[in-house]
Amino acid sequence: KYTLIIAANVLNFFSGSDIKALLKQIKSGIQDGGSIYLSIFSTLDPKFQAMKESRAKIEENTFYDDEKKLYIHFFAREQLLNCFREFELICCCEGIEYDNEANNPHYHGIIEILVRKKVLSKQKKIKFRKEATEPSRCFP
């Protein structure tokens, strides 16, 4: 298990079902007391509204970009926080960032989150494992 996992600008390019599986792996791969940092596209991203108007929705907040041949998922802040409800929230920031991509400068809505896996006593670990078998409220 790892003490730190960083997924910066990666999870936005998967379908919702793949994101759910990746988040499960990320959360199970972190040791007690370890931290997870994510930087992802948010629903504040100007492209989110444009895609809602021009593309068919694949899953909630997920679209397929035919030109680039990839999925684009936009995270809602509350949805993301719910994914890490059993972790200690260290920081969660949402805003608009300038992206100076070659020949195509533009803006992105970004959420950055840093969480720490709580160190649980043996009794709490047993209870948590039982809760973890319930259906996920992170993604539909």
Side-chain angles (χ1 to χ4, degrees), residues 29-76:
I30 199 79
Q31 68 184 22
D32 287 355
S35 298
I36 299 171
Y37 169 81
L38 303 176
S39 177
I40 52 181
F41 292 162
S42 81
T43 53
L44 293 180
D45 195 306
K47 194 168 186 176
F48 175 64
Q49 191 61 40
M51 293 193 100
K52 276 176 59 174
E53 295 170 2
S54 66
R55 301 249 165 58
K57 180 171 70 171
I58 305 297
E59 295 171 312
E60 189 66 29
N61 297 344
T62 304
F63 306 89
Y64 189 76
D65 187 328
D66 294 318
E67 295 169 19
K68 295 182 179 179
K69 306 267 188 254
L70 52 79
Y71 289 99
I72 301 180
H73 182 84
F74 300 90
F75 290 80

Side-chain angles (χ1 to χ4, degrees), residues 72-86:
I72 301 180
H73 182 84
F74 300 90
F75 290 80
R77 181 185 172 105
E78 291 306 315
Q79 178 189 40
L80 183 63
L81 290 172
N82 193 42
C83 290
F84 291 97
R85 66 189 177 280
E86 71 276 14

